[in-house]
Amino acid sequence: GSSSSSTVMAAVWKELRHLRHRDMLRSSLLRAFERDQLECRVIQSPEFRPLLSRWAELLLSSGKHGGSADPHDVPTEVEQHATRTGSPEVRWLVRRLQSRQTLRRGPPHFPSTLLQRGPQYPFEPWDLNYLRAQTGSIRGTELNRKIELPEAPDPPAPKDTKPRDIWAEGCMDDDDFLDYTKPPRS
């Protein structure tokens, strides 16, 4: 009775732990690339899931954390599994991970057509009368002025790039840091 239920509970807990580390490994792999790259789609595909599971098993057996894994350090067993798989995208992704090239594009280019300020369609009646009086046409491109964009501040550097393991640390909120021995401040 109780020994078989404890065995089942241990197996379930082991499976939950494996899935949690697999998800943390997946998130660290996704952070290695930009969100709209094909690599992210392949990482989340069902064809890559068995490799991800095996990679997480290897990490757990070596005592490593799923979130602290180096995304470019592909285990040889996972690499061999990828060569046997039928999906060319999975084989390509493993080669991309091993190349250590992220091919980041940086911030997107701001289109120069948006740096123009002028009358915009649909025109208000006073805009239309003004355009007819000034230019004799309703095209209005003669009235466009160039806009100078202010320099954007650099984004703050991330404090910790590794994801938090909420299962191990627990959830924290403001009430966790209150001292209940003191009267509340009003």
Side-chain angles (χ1 to χ4, degrees):
S2 68
S3 67
S4 66
S5 70
S6 64
T7 308
V8 170
M9 295 272 290
V12 168
W13 179 251
K14 183 179 178 185
E15 181 67 19
L16 276 175
R17 185 170 180 257
H18 172 260
L19 293 174
R20 180 174 57 116
H21 282 275
R22 186 184 76 182
D23 287 345
M24 289 191 304
L25 174 63
R26 178 189 292 137
S27 65
S28 68
L29 290 174
L30 288 172
R31 277 194 312 278
F33 301 102
E34 290 181 347
R35 286 187 310 218
D36 60 342
Q37 284 181 294
L38 177 64
E39 289 86 345
C40 291
R41 189 177 307 152
V42 176
I43 288 169
Q44 298 176 69
S45 71
E47 293 85 17
F48 190 70
R49 196 171 301 133
L51 278 80
L52 202 58
S53 294
R54 186 60 191 141
W55 195 341
E57 286 173 16
L58 293 171
L59 284 174
L60 284 174
S61 65
S62 65
K64 291 186 181 174
H65 205 265
S68 63
D70 180 16
H72 302 290
D73 188 21
V74 182
T76 56
E77 188 175 328
V78 172
E79 182 185 350
Q80 292 167 355
H81 193 296
T83 57
R84 290 190 307 265
T85 188
S87 174
E89 288 181 337
V90 170
R91 292 192 299 269
W92 169 78
L93 175 66
V94 169
R95 284 195 309 270
R96 280 278 294 118
L97 285 169
Q98 290 172 330
S99 72
R100 297 191 175 271
Q101 296 175 349
T102 57
L103 300 178
R104 291 192 178 269
R105 296 181 301 265
H109 172 70
F110 192 80
S112 61
T113 55
L114 296 178
L115 290 175
Q116 304 289 330
R117 174 171 289 157
Q120 293 181 347
Y121 183 83
F123 301 117
E124 296 292 332
W126 56 84
D127 283 339
L128 189 58
N129 290 335
Y130 177 77
L131 284 172
R132 284 185 180 145
Q134 290 294 350
T135 63
S137 72
I138 12 180
R139 200 164 147 222
T141 54
E142 304 87 1
L143 300 178
N144 286 352
R145 295 185 314 275
K146 186 164 176 54
I147 299 172
E148 292 295 326
L149 283 181
E151 282 295 318
D154 291 335
K159 296 176 187 168
D160 189 14
T161 57
K162 288 190 277 186
R164 289 183 45 208
D165 185 2
I166 300 217
W167 283 40
E169 298 172 13
C171 294
M172 300 290 228
D173 62 3
D174 293 339
D175 292 341
D176 292 338
F177 302 110
L178 290 179
D179 186 5
Y180 290 106
T181 60
K182 295 180 183 174
R185 290 186 289 173
S186 41

